[in-house]
Amino acid sequence: MYAPVESNQGFNFKPELPTSSAYYRLLKKLRRQVGHAIRDYNMIEDGDKVMVCVSGGKDSYTLLDILLQFKRIAPINFDIVAVNLDQKQPGFPEDVLPRYMEENNIPYYILEKDTYTITKRLTPEGKTYCAVCSRLRRGSLYGFAQEIGATKVALGHHRDDIMATFFLNLFHGGSLKAMPPKLLSSDKKNILIRPLAYVEEKDIIKYAELRQFPIIPCNLCGSQENLQRAIINDMLREWDKQHPKRLHSIFGALQNVSPSQLADRELFDFEALDGQREFDMKDPEEMKNRLDVVNLSFAAE
């Protein structure tokens, strides 16, 4: 359920840009991190049409804002269109996102799909909604990307989301996987990109506050996965306080994988190691003399 929101109350849909030095330092940092992610993973190319999925939360607003800035200064030409999936959840303020997009001259679509009702109907009693809801949401957005000719689908997941997913899979899924910065969808029809992959959540929180985005407060019903994710997020925040360099090291580990040092037989051919061994064949007489010396030393002891 979405928390009740009085339409337009307290929202400035086109606030003046901040002028503080703190804002410009943060903006420079975010631009640099997003730029590096786009470059490192070849996320956006000349002629791309990037569909930015906007939920009304701080992450997707920040993603859209930074990408629009890149569009103005980038040496390549690409288009951006914002898309919101209105899942018809009770209490969702339908006017907030359209007004923000229109007042800031941002091309957008509102995709209306009553996945809320479908999710409630398809989810067995006593089970959580998350699996069905996320599958329906992905299907709707990916299909719509094809309809509008989008070549890339941009999602607002940040560095902390990626690490939380890694630990969720490690602790509860029995697998070593996270959210890759760039991914081919399972139907092989969409390229998904996460330009905020290098950005810390605490910086997004600060940026969203400074930019005064009209955040839509969300009180989605919790599920076991979401509960575990919240616990892991608390763990990551505590680590960040106690050991400031730890999260940086963990994320670096996700970019520096050594398959031969793990135990996945599908990922690395352990059986082939015997055939790859290199023998250093010494002269037999020389080896015999070495052994004699060793044996004599043992005897002397």
Side-chain angles (χ1 to χ4, degrees):
M1 292 278 183
Y2 278 85
V5 174
E6 292 294 333
S7 295
N8 303 339
Q9 184 173 342
F11 287 156
N12 185 352
F13 289 90
K14 195 173 181 181
E16 295 293 325
L17 287 176
T19 58
S20 67
S21 58
Y23 165 72
Y24 283 106
R25 283 196 304 269
L26 179 58
L27 175 60
K28 184 178 179 179
K29 180 181 180 181
L30 296 185
R31 280 182 174 177
R32 182 180 69 252
Q33 291 173 329
V34 171
H36 285 173
I38 291 173
R39 179 200 63 198
D40 290 350
Y41 296 94
N42 194 32
M43 291 184 181
I44 300 177
E45 301 174 276
D46 191 51
D48 269 339
K49 182 175 184 178
V50 182
M51 184 180 105
V52 182
C53 299
V54 180
S55 66
K58 63 179 175 22
D59 304 333
S60 57
Y61 272 123
T62 299
L63 172 65
L64 178 62
D65 191 65
I66 298 296
L67 287 183
L68 286 169
Q69 294 185 46
F70 268 104
K71 175 177 167 55
R72 291 193 291 269
I73 63 175
I76 60 173
N77 294 315
F78 63 93
D79 293 324
I80 289 177
V81 58
V83 174
N84 169 253
L85 174 61
D86 180 356
Q87 297 177 273
K88 298 305 176 183
Q89 293 174 3
F92 181 76
E94 298 179 353
D95 61 321
V96 171
L97 283 169
R99 181 169 173 185
Y100 175 79
M101 301 300 173
E102 289 165 7
E103 294 200 9
N104 289 278
N105 298 313
I106 302 171
Y108 77 96
Y109 293 96
I110 302 296
L111 177 60
E112 297 187 7
K113 295 269 187 171
D114 188 1
T115 59
Y116 178 81
T117 301
I118 298 172
T119 297
K120 292 192 68 175
R121 186 176 73 246
L122 295 181
T123 302
E125 186 176 354
K127 300 293 184 180
T128 58
Y129 295 149
C130 187
V132 175
C133 180
S134 61
R135 188 163 60 247
L136 291 172
R137 187 172 63 250
R138 286 196 303 268
S140 298
L141 289 170
Y142 296 174
F144 191 67
Q146 293 294 299
E147 288 183 33
I148 64 174
T151 55
K152 302 287 173 57
V153 178
L155 305 174
H157 301 118
H158 47 69
R159 188 202 68 171
D160 300 57
D161 287 329
I162 293 173
M163 288 192 294
T165 300
F166 169 75
F167 283 109
L168 269 175
N169 286 313
L170 180 65
F171 295 161
H172 306 287
S175 61
L176 277 176
K177 63 180 181 180
M179 293 175 173
K182 186 177 181 181
L183 177 70
L184 178 64
S185 61
S186 56
D187 62 7
K188 301 189 184 302
K189 294 181 179 179
N190 290 286
I191 295 290
L192 315 178
I193 59 174
R194 296 182 169 100
L196 299 180
Y198 293 167
V199 178
E200 300 172 50
E201 183 180 29
K202 60 187 179 183
D203 287 335
I204 293 175
I205 293 172
K206 293 177 186 175
Y207 188 76
E209 290 174 351
L210 290 167
R211 292 286 283 111
Q212 300 179 46
F213 295 132
I215 304 296
I216 299 175
C218 180
N219 248 354
L220 287 174
C221 299
S223 68
Q224 186 62 37
E225 180 189 14
N226 287 334
L227 175 62
Q228 295 300 333
R229 182 176 287 275
I231 292 172
I232 288 174
N233 283 333
D234 289 340
M235 178 189 76
L236 294 177
R237 292 187 189 103
E238 186 63 26
W239 282 354
D240 194 34
K241 291 178 183 177
Q242 300 295 328
H243 312 280
K245 295 183 179 180
R246 179 175 290 181
L247 299 189
H248 178 76
S249 179
I250 293 171
F251 188 81
L254 296 177
Q255 299 176 291
N256 186 25
V257 179
S258 299
S260 65
Q261 307 303 304
L262 299 174
D264 191 329
R265 291 174 294 165
E266 298 295 326
L267 193 63
F268 186 81
D269 190 354
F270 293 96
E271 294 183 6
L273 289 177
D274 288 340
Q276 297 172 13
R277 183 169 56 179
E278 296 180 0
F279 292 93
D280 188 8
M281 300 302 291
K282 300 292 185 181
D283 178 72
E285 188 62 30
E286 180 185 350
M287 293 300 296
K288 180 179 181 301
N289 292 337
R290 289 185 181 183
L291 288 173
D292 288 342
V293 171
V294 172
N295 290 334
L296 286 171
S297 67
F298 280 133
E301 294 177 0

